[in-house]
Structure formats: C-alpha cells, structure tokens
Amino acid sequence: FPSHDMLKALRNQEWSLLFAGVSRNSYLDQMYRLIKKYHLGQRIKYLGRISREDVIQKMQKAVAFVNAPIYGEPFAGTVLEAIANNAPLLTSNDGSALEVVRPGLTCLVHEKLDAPTLARNMQSILCDPELAARISAAAKADVLNRFTAAVILDKTEAYLKGAIRSTVLNTK
C-alpha cells in the first residue's frame, strides 16, 4: 500500500489506484486508515476479489501496473500477464519479477519497501507517456519472444532431447 512518503510525493499528480484480490483484514484496516488520513477515498479503491475477465480489462486500461511484493513471490505470472496486456510495469526487486523483466528496459524497479523510489517511478510514468509506451512495447515484445507457450514448449523439448541424449551417451 502507498506509504506516507509516496503519497506526499504524488499528492499534486492526477492518479487513481485500484487494488484487487484477497487480503488479510489487518492489511485492509491499515489501508483504510491511510486512505482516510490522507483523504484519498476518491483516488484509491479496493475492489476485493474480481473475475479474471475484470482483471484483464483493468490491466488493459491501466496507466501502469505496480507489483510490489515484500515476501518473495515464487512465480511472476501476474507480472507476465500485466505486461502481455500492455500495462507498463513498476516492480520491486523482491520475488520472481526480476527473472522475467529487464530493469530499465521493460520495467522500472525499486528496492523492496523503498516508497520514495516507487513514487518517483510512478511519477515518471504519469508525467512521461512516451516512457510508459516505450517500456510497455519493449516488455510486450520481450514476453512474446521469451514466454509464449510455443517458445516454452520449444525450450522444454530442446532441454528434454539434450537430457535424453546425455543419458543415452552415459549408459553406453
């Protein structure tokens, strides 16, 4: 959730933030306290659990997608999905996102829990549509080159053929 520092840095920008998914009640309570404290009820909305179709629709309309894990997400499926739907990515350096992105080229990265840098990255995307478009296009091209089903199947097939070849050679 946006920190005090990030909210201060972005207070003069036009923006809104949508959260979706399931969250712990303590986190939601903290989020609602900050929304009330900073009078952000018109800018920040928690949608709760929404359908997959709604998630995709919101990603396609997003100015950016913020992925800010602090507990090390094991797979970057949401990151790939956001990129595939043309949402410029802002991500922390925690979790699996860095396995699938190219910092500075396909996304903007901040240190885990570094709200001021995340705020600067958000401001960069909000104030520079050309940067957002460039990141989004580079990220989508990268995903299509490295992570489509056909590419993954080809890589898996090549790996398995190599493993079989190696096994056969080692048993002779």
Side-chain angles (χ1 to χ4, degrees), residues 36-122:
K36 187 175 181 179
K37 178 180 179 178
Y38 293 103
H39 309 287
L40 296 170
Q42 297 302 315
R43 289 188 176 202
I44 299 176
K45 302 285 184 214
Y46 175 65
L47 305 174
R49 184 183 297 256
I50 61 175
S51 71
R52 179 156 173 69
E53 293 80 20
D54 285 344
V55 169
I56 299 300
Q57 180 186 32
K58 297 209 181 306
M59 284 181 180
Q60 290 172 342
K61 292 180 179 179
V63 172
F65 183 84
V66 177
N67 178 62
I70 58 172
Y71 299 115
E73 293 182 14
F75 183 69
T78 304
V79 166
L80 291 171
E81 196 170 55
I83 290 170
N85 283 290
N86 296 316
L89 178 66
L90 307 173
T91 188
S92 75
N93 63 348
D94 194 50
S96 59
L98 294 183
E99 295 174 13
V100 298
V101 298
R102 298 170 196 264
L105 176 65
T106 64
C107 69
L108 297 180
V109 177
H110 61 278
E111 293 286 325
K112 175 174 72 170
L113 300 174
D114 181 357
T117 301
L118 173 56
R120 281 191 299 277
N121 288 346
M122 290 173 73

Coordinates of all heavy atoms in Angstrom, one line a residue, residues 36-122:
K36 N -8.2 7.3 4.7 CA -9.0 8.3 5.5 C -8.0 9.4 5.9 O -8.4 10.6 5.8 CB -9.6 7.6 6.7 CG -10.5 8.6 7.4 CD -11.3 7.9 8.6 CE -12.2 8.8 9.3 NZ -12.9 8.2 10.3
K37 N -6.9 9.1 6.5 CA -5.9 10.1 6.9 C -5.5 11.1 5.8 O -5.4 12.3 6.1 CB -4.7 9.4 7.5 CG -3.6 10.3 8.0 CD -2.4 9.6 8.5 CE -1.3 10.5 9.0 NZ -0.1 9.8 9.5
Y38 N -5.3 10.6 4.6 CA -4.9 11.4 3.5 C -6.0 11.9 2.6 O -5.7 12.4 1.5 CB -3.8 10.7 2.7 CG -2.5 10.6 3.5 CD1 -2.2 9.4 4.1 CD2 -1.7 11.7 3.8 CE1 -1.0 9.2 4.9 CE2 -0.5 11.5 4.5 CZ -0.2 10.3 5.1 OH 0.9 10.2 5.8
H39 N -7.2 11.6 3.0 CA -8.4 12.0 2.2 C -8.3 11.5 0.8 O -8.5 12.3 -0.2 CB -8.6 13.5 2.2 CG -8.5 14.1 3.6 ND1 -9.6 14.0 4.5 CD2 -7.6 14.8 4.3 CE1 -9.3 14.5 5.7 NE2 -8.0 15.0 5.5
L40 N -8.1 10.2 0.6 CA -7.9 9.6 -0.7 C -9.0 8.7 -1.1 O -8.8 7.9 -2.1 CB -6.5 8.8 -0.7 CG -5.3 9.7 -0.5 CD1 -4.1 8.8 -0.3 CD2 -5.1 10.6 -1.7
G41 N -10.1 8.8 -0.5 CA -11.2 7.9 -0.9 C -11.6 8.0 -2.3 O -12.2 7.1 -2.9
Q42 N -11.4 9.2 -3.0 CA -11.8 9.3 -4.4 C -10.7 8.8 -5.3 O -10.9 8.6 -6.5 CB -12.0 10.8 -4.7 CG -13.2 11.4 -3.9 CD -14.5 10.6 -4.2 OE1 -14.8 10.3 -5.4 NE2 -15.2 10.3 -3.2
R43 N -9.5 8.5 -4.8 CA -8.4 8.1 -5.6 C -8.0 6.6 -5.5 O -7.5 6.0 -6.4 CB -7.1 8.9 -5.3 CG -7.2 10.3 -5.7 CD -5.8 11.0 -5.5 NE -5.8 12.3 -6.0 CZ -4.7 12.9 -6.4 NH1 -3.5 12.4 -6.2 NH2 -4.8 14.2 -6.8
I44 N -8.3 6.1 -4.3 CA -7.9 4.7 -4.0 C -9.1 3.8 -3.7 O -9.9 4.2 -2.8 CB -6.9 4.6 -2.8 CG1 -5.6 5.4 -3.2 CG2 -6.5 3.2 -2.5 CD1 -4.6 5.5 -2.0
K45 N -9.2 2.8 -4.5 CA -10.4 1.8 -4.3 C -9.9 0.4 -4.2 O -9.0 0.0 -4.9 CB -11.3 1.9 -5.5 CG -11.8 3.3 -5.9 CD -12.9 3.6 -4.9 CE -13.5 5.0 -5.3 NZ -13.9 5.8 -4.3
Y46 N -10.4 -0.3 -3.2 CA -10.2 -1.7 -3.0 C -11.4 -2.5 -3.6 O -12.5 -2.3 -3.2 CB -10.0 -2.1 -1.6 CG -9.8 -3.5 -1.3 CD1 -8.7 -4.2 -1.9 CD2 -10.7 -4.3 -0.6 CE1 -8.6 -5.6 -1.7 CE2 -10.6 -5.6 -0.4 CZ -9.5 -6.3 -1.0 OH -9.4 -7.6 -0.8
L47 N -11.1 -3.2 -4.6 CA -12.2 -3.9 -5.4 C -12.5 -5.3 -4.8 O -13.5 -5.9 -5.2 CB -11.8 -4.1 -6.8 CG -11.4 -2.8 -7.6 CD1 -10.9 -3.1 -9.0 CD2 -12.6 -1.8 -7.6
G48 N -11.6 -5.8 -3.9 CA -11.8 -7.2 -3.4 C -11.5 -8.2 -4.5 O -10.8 -7.9 -5.5
R49 N -12.1 -9.4 -4.4 CA -11.9 -10.4 -5.4 C -12.8 -10.1 -6.7 O -13.9 -9.8 -6.5 CB -12.3 -11.8 -4.9 CG -12.0 -12.9 -5.8 CD -12.5 -14.2 -5.3 NE -11.8 -14.5 -4.1 CZ -10.8 -15.4 -4.0 NH1 -10.4 -16.1 -5.1 NH2 -10.2 -15.7 -2.8
I50 N -12.1 -10.0 -7.8 CA -12.8 -9.8 -9.1 C -12.6 -10.9 -10.1 O -11.6 -11.6 -9.9 CB -12.5 -8.4 -9.7 CG1 -11.0 -8.3 -10.0 CG2 -12.9 -7.3 -8.7 CD1 -10.6 -7.0 -10.7
S51 N -13.4 -11.0 -11.1 CA -13.2 -12.1 -12.0 C -12.0 -11.9 -12.9 O -11.4 -10.8 -13.0 CB -14.5 -12.1 -13.0 OG -14.4 -11.0 -13.9
R52 N -11.5 -13.0 -13.4 CA -10.3 -12.9 -14.3 C -10.6 -12.0 -15.5 O -9.7 -11.2 -15.8 CB -10.0 -14.3 -14.8 CG -8.8 -14.4 -15.7 CD -8.3 -15.8 -15.7 NE -7.2 -16.0 -16.7 CZ -6.0 -15.4 -16.6 NH1 -5.7 -14.6 -15.7 NH2 -5.1 -15.6 -17.6
E53 N -11.7 -12.0 -16.0 CA -12.1 -11.1 -17.1 C -11.9 -9.6 -16.7 O -11.4 -8.8 -17.4 CB -13.5 -11.3 -17.7 CG -13.6 -12.7 -18.4 CD -13.8 -13.8 -17.4 OE1 -14.2 -13.6 -16.2 OE2 -13.6 -15.0 -17.8
D54 N -12.4 -9.3 -15.5 CA -12.3 -7.9 -15.0 C -10.8 -7.5 -14.7 O -10.4 -6.4 -15.0 CB -13.1 -7.8 -13.7 CG -14.6 -7.7 -13.9 OD1 -15.0 -7.4 -15.1 OD2 -15.4 -7.8 -13.0
V55 N -10.0 -8.5 -14.3 CA -8.6 -8.2 -14.0 C -8.0 -7.9 -15.4 O -7.2 -6.9 -15.5 CB -7.9 -9.5 -13.4 CG1 -6.4 -9.3 -13.4 CG2 -8.4 -9.7 -12.0
I56 N -8.2 -8.7 -16.4 CA -7.6 -8.4 -17.7 C -8.1 -7.1 -18.2 O -7.2 -6.3 -18.7 CB -8.0 -9.5 -18.7 CG1 -7.4 -10.9 -18.2 CG2 -7.5 -9.2 -20.1 CD1 -6.0 -11.0 -18.1
Q57 N -9.3 -6.8 -18.1 CA -9.9 -5.5 -18.6 C -9.2 -4.3 -17.9 O -8.8 -3.3 -18.5 CB -11.4 -5.4 -18.4 CG -12.0 -4.2 -18.8 CD -13.5 -4.1 -18.5 OE1 -13.9 -4.6 -17.5 NE2 -14.3 -3.4 -19.3
K58 N -9.0 -4.4 -16.6 CA -8.4 -3.3 -15.8 C -6.9 -3.2 -16.2 O -6.4 -2.1 -16.3 CB -8.6 -3.6 -14.3 CG -10.1 -3.5 -14.0 CD -10.3 -3.1 -12.6 CE -11.8 -3.1 -12.3 NZ -12.7 -2.3 -13.2
M59 N -6.2 -4.3 -16.4 CA -4.8 -4.3 -16.8 C -4.7 -3.5 -18.2 O -3.8 -2.8 -18.4 CB -4.2 -5.6 -16.9 CG -3.9 -6.3 -15.6 SD -3.1 -7.9 -15.9 CE -2.8 -8.4 -14.2
Q60 N -5.6 -3.9 -19.1 CA -5.5 -3.3 -20.4 C -5.8 -1.7 -20.4 O -5.3 -1.0 -21.2 CB -6.6 -3.9 -21.4 CG -6.2 -5.3 -21.7 CD -7.2 -6.1 -22.4 OE1 -8.4 -5.7 -22.4 NE2 -6.9 -7.2 -23.1
K61 N -6.5 -1.3 -19.4 CA -6.8 0.2 -19.3 C -5.8 0.9 -18.4 O -5.8 2.1 -18.3 CB -8.2 0.4 -18.7 CG -9.3 -0.1 -19.7 CD -10.7 0.2 -19.1 CE -11.8 -0.3 -20.0 NZ -13.1 -0.1 -19.4
A62 N -5.0 0.2 -17.7 CA -4.1 0.7 -16.7 C -3.0 1.6 -17.3 O -2.4 1.3 -18.3 CB -3.4 -0.3 -15.8
V63 N -2.7 2.7 -16.6 CA -1.6 3.6 -17.0 C -0.3 2.8 -16.6 O 0.7 3.0 -17.2 CB -1.7 4.9 -16.2 CG1 -0.4 5.7 -16.4 CG2 -2.9 5.7 -16.7
A64 N -0.3 2.1 -15.5 CA 0.8 1.2 -15.1 C 0.3 0.1 -14.2 O -0.8 0.2 -13.6 CB 1.8 2.1 -14.3
F65 N 1.1 -0.9 -14.0 CA 0.8 -2.0 -13.1 C 1.9 -2.0 -12.0 O 3.1 -2.1 -12.3 CB 0.8 -3.3 -13.8 CG 0.4 -4.5 -12.9 CD1 -0.9 -4.7 -12.7 CD2 1.4 -5.2 -12.3 CE1 -1.3 -5.8 -11.9 CE2 1.0 -6.3 -11.5 CZ -0.3 -6.6 -11.3
V66 N 1.5 -1.8 -10.8 CA 2.5 -1.8 -9.7 C 2.5 -3.2 -9.0 O 1.5 -3.7 -8.5 CB 2.1 -0.8 -8.6 CG1 3.1 -0.8 -7.4 CG2 2.1 0.6 -9.2
N67 N 3.7 -3.8 -9.1 CA 3.9 -5.1 -8.4 C 5.0 -4.8 -7.4 O 6.1 -4.6 -7.7 CB 4.5 -6.1 -9.5 CG 4.8 -7.4 -8.9 OD1 3.9 -8.1 -8.4 ND2 6.1 -7.8 -8.9
A68 N 4.5 -4.9 -6.1 CA 5.4 -4.5 -5.0 C 5.5 -5.6 -3.9 O 5.1 -5.3 -2.8 CB 5.0 -3.2 -4.4
P69 N 5.9 -6.8 -4.3 CA 5.9 -7.8 -3.3 C 7.0 -7.5 -2.2 O 8.0 -6.9 -2.5 CB 6.3 -9.1 -4.0 CG 7.0 -8.6 -5.2 CD 6.4 -7.3 -5.5
I70 N 6.7 -8.0 -1.0 CA 7.7 -7.8 0.1 C 8.0 -9.2 0.7 O 8.8 -9.3 1.6 CB 7.2 -6.8 1.2 CG1 5.9 -7.3 1.8 CG2 7.1 -5.4 0.6 CD1 5.4 -6.5 3.0
Y71 N 7.3 -10.2 0.2 CA 7.5 -11.6 0.8 C 8.1 -12.6 -0.3 O 8.0 -13.8 -0.1 CB 6.2 -12.1 1.4 CG 5.7 -11.3 2.5 CD1 4.5 -10.6 2.4 CD2 6.4 -11.1 3.7 CE1 4.0 -9.8 3.4 CE2 6.0 -10.4 4.7 CZ 4.8 -9.7 4.6 OH 4.3 -8.9 5.6
G72 N 8.6 -12.1 -1.4 CA 9.2 -13.0 -2.3 C 8.2 -13.9 -3.1 O 8.1 -15.1 -2.8
E73 N 7.5 -13.4 -4.0 CA 6.5 -14.2 -4.8 C 7.3 -15.2 -5.6 O 8.3 -14.9 -6.3 CB 5.7 -13.3 -5.7 CG 4.7 -12.4 -4.9 CD 3.9 -11.6 -5.8 OE1 3.8 -11.8 -7.0 OE2 3.3 -10.6 -5.3
P74 N 6.9 -16.5 -5.6 CA 7.6 -17.5 -6.3 C 7.5 -17.6 -7.8 O 8.4 -18.1 -8.4 CB 7.0 -18.8 -5.7 CG 5.6 -18.5 -5.3 CD 5.7 -17.0 -4.9
F75 N 6.5 -17.0 -8.4 CA 6.4 -17.0 -9.9 C 5.8 -15.7 -10.3 O 4.8 -15.2 -9.7 CB 5.5 -18.2 -10.3 CG 5.5 -18.3 -11.8 CD1 6.6 -18.6 -12.6 CD2 4.3 -18.0 -12.5 CE1 6.5 -18.7 -14.0 CE2 4.2 -18.0 -13.9 CZ 5.3 -18.4 -14.6
A76 N 6.3 -15.2 -11.4 CA 5.9 -13.9 -11.9 C 4.7 -13.9 -12.9 O 4.7 -13.2 -13.8 CB 7.1 -13.2 -12.5
G77 N 3.8 -14.8 -12.6 CA 2.6 -14.9 -13.6 C 1.8 -13.6 -13.7 O 1.5 -13.2 -14.8
T78 N 1.6 -13.0 -12.6 CA 0.9 -11.7 -12.7 C 1.7 -10.6 -13.4 O 1.1 -9.9 -14.2 CB 0.5 -11.2 -11.2 OG1 -0.2 -12.2 -10.6 CG2 -0.3 -10.0 -11.3
V79 N 3.0 -10.6 -13.2 CA 3.8 -9.7 -13.9 C 3.7 -9.9 -15.4 O 3.6 -9.0 -16.2 CB 5.3 -9.8 -13.4 CG1 6.2 -9.1 -14.3 CG2 5.4 -9.3 -12.0
L80 N 3.9 -11.2 -15.9 CA 3.8 -11.5 -17.3 C 2.4 -11.2 -17.8 O 2.3 -10.7 -19.0 CB 4.1 -13.0 -17.5 CG 5.5 -13.4 -17.3 CD1 5.6 -15.0 -17.3 CD2 6.5 -12.8 -18.2
E81 N 1.4 -11.4 -17.1 CA 0.0 -11.1 -17.5 C -0.2 -9.6 -17.7 O -0.7 -9.1 -18.7 CB -1.0 -11.6 -16.5 CG -2.4 -11.7 -16.9 CD -3.2 -12.5 -15.9 OE1 -3.2 -12.1 -14.7 OE2 -3.8 -13.4 -16.3
A82 N 0.4 -8.8 -16.7 CA 0.3 -7.3 -16.9 C 1.0 -6.8 -18.1 O 0.5 -6.0 -18.9 CB 0.8 -6.7 -15.6
I83 N 2.2 -7.3 -18.3 CA 3.0 -6.9 -19.5 C 2.3 -7.3 -20.8 O 2.2 -6.5 -21.7 CB 4.4 -7.6 -19.4 CG1 5.2 -6.9 -18.3 CG2 5.1 -7.4 -20.7 CD1 6.5 -7.6 -18.0
A84 N 1.8 -8.6 -20.8 CA 1.1 -9.0 -22.0 C -0.2 -8.2 -22.3 O -0.6 -8.1 -23.5 CB 0.7 -10.5 -21.9
N85 N -0.7 -7.5 -21.3 CA -1.9 -6.6 -21.5 C -1.5 -5.2 -21.6 O -2.3 -4.3 -21.4 CB -2.9 -6.9 -20.4 CG -3.6 -8.1 -20.6 OD1 -4.4 -8.2 -21.5 ND2 -3.3 -9.2 -19.8
N86 N -0.2 -4.9 -21.9 CA 0.3 -3.6 -22.2 C 0.3 -2.6 -21.0 O 0.3 -1.4 -21.2 CB -0.5 -2.9 -23.4 CG -0.3 -3.7 -24.7 OD1 0.8 -4.1 -25.0 ND2 -1.4 -3.9 -25.4
A87 N 0.4 -3.1 -19.8 CA 0.5 -2.2 -18.7 C 2.0 -2.0 -18.3 O 2.6 -3.0 -18.0 CB -0.3 -2.8 -17.5
P88 N 2.5 -0.8 -18.4 CA 3.9 -0.6 -18.0 C 4.1 -1.0 -16.6 O 3.2 -0.8 -15.7 CB 4.0 0.9 -18.1 CG 3.0 1.4 -19.1 CD 1.8 0.4 -18.8
L89 N 5.1 -1.7 -16.4 CA 5.4 -2.4 -15.1 C 6.3 -1.6 -14.2 O 7.4 -1.2 -14.6 CB 6.0 -3.8 -15.3 CG 6.3 -4.6 -14.1 CD1 5.1 -5.0 -13.3 CD2 7.1 -5.8 -14.4
L90 N 5.9 -1.4 -12.9 CA 6.7 -0.9 -11.8 C 6.8 -2.0 -10.8 O 5.8 -2.5 -10.3 CB 6.0 0.3 -11.2 CG 5.6 1.4 -12.1 CD1 4.8 2.5 -11.4 CD2 6.8 2.0 -12.8
T91 N 8.0 -2.5 -10.5 CA 8.1 -3.6 -9.6 C 9.2 -3.5 -8.6 O 10.2 -2.7 -8.8 CB 8.3 -4.9 -10.4 OG1 8.3 -6.1 -9.6 CG2 9.7 -4.9 -11.1
S92 N 9.1 -4.1 -7.5 CA 10.2 -4.2 -6.5 C 11.2 -5.2 -6.9 O 10.9 -6.1 -7.8 CB 9.6 -4.4 -5.1 OG 9.3 -5.8 -4.9
N93 N 12.3 -5.2 -6.3 CA 13.3 -6.2 -6.6 C 13.2 -7.4 -5.8 O 14.2 -8.2 -5.7 CB 14.7 -5.5 -6.4 CG 15.0 -5.2 -5.0 OD1 14.1 -5.2 -4.1 ND2 16.2 -4.8 -4.7
D94 N 12.0 -7.7 -5.3 CA 11.8 -8.9 -4.4 C 10.9 -9.9 -5.2 O 10.1 -9.4 -6.0 CB 11.2 -8.5 -3.1 CG 11.2 -9.7 -2.1 OD1 12.3 -10.2 -1.9 OD2 10.2 -10.0 -1.6
G95 N 11.1 -11.1 -5.0 CA 10.3 -12.1 -5.7 C 10.9 -12.4 -7.1 O 12.0 -12.1 -7.4
S96 N 10.0 -13.1 -7.9 CA 10.4 -13.6 -9.2 C 10.4 -12.6 -10.3 O 10.8 -13.0 -11.4 CB 9.6 -14.8 -9.5 OG 8.2 -14.5 -9.5
A97 N 9.9 -11.4 -10.1 CA 9.7 -10.5 -11.2 C 11.0 -10.3 -12.0 O 11.1 -10.2 -13.2 CB 9.2 -9.2 -10.7
L98 N 12.1 -10.2 -11.2 CA 13.4 -9.9 -11.9 C 13.9 -11.0 -12.8 O 14.9 -10.9 -13.5 CB 14.5 -9.5 -10.9 CG 14.2 -8.2 -10.2 CD1 15.3 -7.8 -9.2 CD2 14.0 -7.0 -11.1
E99 N 13.3 -12.2 -12.6 CA 13.6 -13.3 -13.5 C 13.0 -13.2 -14.9 O 13.5 -13.8 -15.8 CB 13.1 -14.6 -12.9 CG 13.8 -15.0 -11.6 CD 13.2 -16.2 -10.9 OE1 12.4 -17.0 -11.6 OE2 13.5 -16.5 -9.8
V100 N 12.0 -12.3 -15.0 CA 11.3 -12.2 -16.3 C 11.4 -10.8 -16.9 O 10.9 -10.6 -18.0 CB 9.9 -12.7 -16.2 CG1 9.8 -14.2 -15.8 CG2 9.1 -11.8 -15.3
V101 N 11.9 -9.8 -16.2 CA 12.0 -8.5 -16.8 C 13.4 -8.0 -17.0 O 14.4 -8.7 -16.5 CB 11.3 -7.5 -15.8 CG1 9.8 -7.8 -15.7 CG2 11.9 -7.4 -14.5
R102 N 13.6 -6.9 -17.6 CA 14.9 -6.3 -17.9 C 14.8 -4.9 -17.3 O 14.3 -4.0 -18.0 CB 15.2 -6.4 -19.3 CG 15.3 -7.8 -19.9 CD 15.4 -7.8 -21.4 NE 15.1 -9.2 -21.9 CZ 16.0 -10.1 -22.2 NH1 17.3 -9.9 -22.0 NH2 15.6 -11.2 -22.7
P103 N 15.3 -4.7 -16.1 CA 15.1 -3.4 -15.4 C 15.6 -2.2 -16.3 O 16.7 -2.3 -16.9 CB 16.0 -3.5 -14.1 CG 15.9 -5.0 -13.8 CD 15.9 -5.7 -15.2
G104 N 14.8 -1.2 -16.3 CA 15.1 0.0 -17.1 C 14.7 -0.1 -18.6 O 14.5 0.9 -19.2
L105 N 14.6 -1.3 -19.1 CA 14.1 -1.5 -20.5 C 12.7 -1.9 -20.5 O 11.9 -1.4 -21.3 CB 15.0 -2.6 -21.2 CG 14.6 -2.9 -22.6 CD1 14.8 -1.7 -23.5 CD2 15.5 -4.1 -23.1
T106 N 12.3 -3.0 -19.7 CA 11.0 -3.5 -19.8 C 10.2 -3.2 -18.5 O 9.0 -3.6 -18.4 CB 11.0 -5.0 -20.0 OG1 11.6 -5.6 -18.9 CG2 11.7 -5.4 -21.3
C107 N 10.8 -2.5 -17.6 CA 10.1 -2.1 -16.4 C 10.9 -1.0 -15.6 O 12.1 -0.8 -15.9 CB 9.8 -3.3 -15.5 SG 11.4 -4.0 -14.8
L108 N 10.3 -0.4 -14.6 CA 11.1 0.4 -13.7 C 11.1 -0.3 -12.3 O 10.0 -0.9 -11.9 CB 10.4 1.8 -13.5 CG 10.3 2.6 -14.8 CD1 9.7 4.0 -14.5 CD2 11.7 2.8 -15.3
V109 N 12.2 -0.4 -11.7 CA 12.4 -1.2 -10.5 C 12.7 -0.3 -9.3 O 13.4 0.7 -9.4 CB 13.5 -2.2 -10.7 CG1 13.8 -3.0 -9.4 CG2 13.2 -3.2 -11.8
H110 N 12.2 -0.7 -8.1 CA 12.5 0.0 -6.9 C 12.9 -1.1 -5.9 O 12.5 -2.3 -6.0 CB 11.4 0.8 -6.3 CG 10.1 0.0 -6.0 ND1 9.2 -0.4 -7.0 CD2 9.7 -0.5 -4.9 CE1 8.3 -1.1 -6.5 NE2 8.5 -1.2 -5.2
E111 N 13.7 -0.7 -4.9 CA 14.1 -1.6 -3.8 C 12.8 -2.0 -3.0 O 12.0 -1.1 -2.9 CB 15.1 -1.0 -2.9 CG 16.5 -0.8 -3.5 CD 17.3 -2.0 -3.6 OE1 17.2 -2.9 -2.8 OE2 18.0 -2.1 -4.6
K112 N 12.8 -3.2 -2.5 CA 11.6 -3.6 -1.7 C 11.5 -2.6 -0.6 O 12.4 -2.2 0.1 CB 11.9 -5.0 -1.1 CG 10.9 -5.5 -0.1 CD 11.1 -6.9 0.3 CE 12.3 -7.0 1.2 NZ 12.4 -8.4 1.8
L113 N 10.2 -2.1 -0.4 CA 9.8 -1.1 0.7 C 10.4 0.3 0.5 O 10.3 1.1 1.4 CB 10.2 -1.7 2.1 CG 9.6 -3.0 2.5 CD1 10.1 -3.5 3.8 CD2 8.1 -2.9 2.5
D114 N 11.0 0.6 -0.7 CA 11.5 1.9 -1.0 C 10.4 2.7 -1.6 O 10.4 2.9 -2.8 CB 12.7 1.8 -1.9 CG 13.4 3.1 -2.2 OD1 12.8 4.2 -1.7 OD2 14.4 3.1 -2.9
A115 N 9.5 3.3 -0.8 CA 8.4 4.1 -1.3 C 8.8 5.3 -2.0 O 8.2 5.6 -3.1 CB 7.5 4.4 -0.1
P116 N 9.8 6.1 -1.6 CA 10.2 7.2 -2.4 C 10.6 6.9 -3.9 O 10.2 7.6 -4.8 CB 11.3 7.9 -1.6 CG 11.1 7.4 -0.2 CD 10.6 6.0 -0.3
T117 N 11.3 5.8 -4.0 CA 11.7 5.4 -5.4 C 10.5 5.0 -6.2 O 10.3 5.3 -7.4 CB 12.8 4.4 -5.4 OG1 13.9 4.9 -4.7 CG2 13.2 4.0 -6.8
L118 N 9.6 4.2 -5.5 CA 8.4 3.8 -6.2 C 7.6 5.0 -6.6 O 7.1 5.1 -7.7 CB 7.6 2.8 -5.3 CG 6.2 2.5 -5.9 CD1 6.2 1.9 -7.3 CD2 5.4 1.6 -4.9
A119 N 7.5 6.0 -5.8 CA 6.8 7.2 -6.1 C 7.4 7.9 -7.3 O 6.7 8.4 -8.2 CB 6.7 8.2 -4.9
R120 N 8.7 8.0 -7.3 CA 9.4 8.6 -8.4 C 9.1 7.9 -9.7 O 8.9 8.5 -10.8 CB 10.9 8.7 -8.2 CG 11.3 9.9 -7.3 CD 12.8 10.1 -7.3 NE 13.6 9.0 -6.8 CZ 13.8 8.7 -5.5 NH1 13.3 9.5 -4.6 NH2 14.5 7.7 -5.2
N121 N 9.1 6.5 -9.6 CA 8.9 5.7 -10.8 C 7.4 5.9 -11.3 O 7.2 6.0 -12.5 CB 9.1 4.2 -10.5 CG 10.6 3.9 -10.4 OD1 11.4 4.7 -10.8 ND2 10.9 2.8 -9.9
M122 N 6.5 6.0 -10.3 CA 5.1 6.3 -10.7 C 5.0 7.6 -11.3 O 4.3 7.8 -12.4 CB 4.2 6.2 -9.4 CG 4.0 4.8 -8.9 SD 3.2 4.7 -7.3 CE 1.5 5.1 -7.9

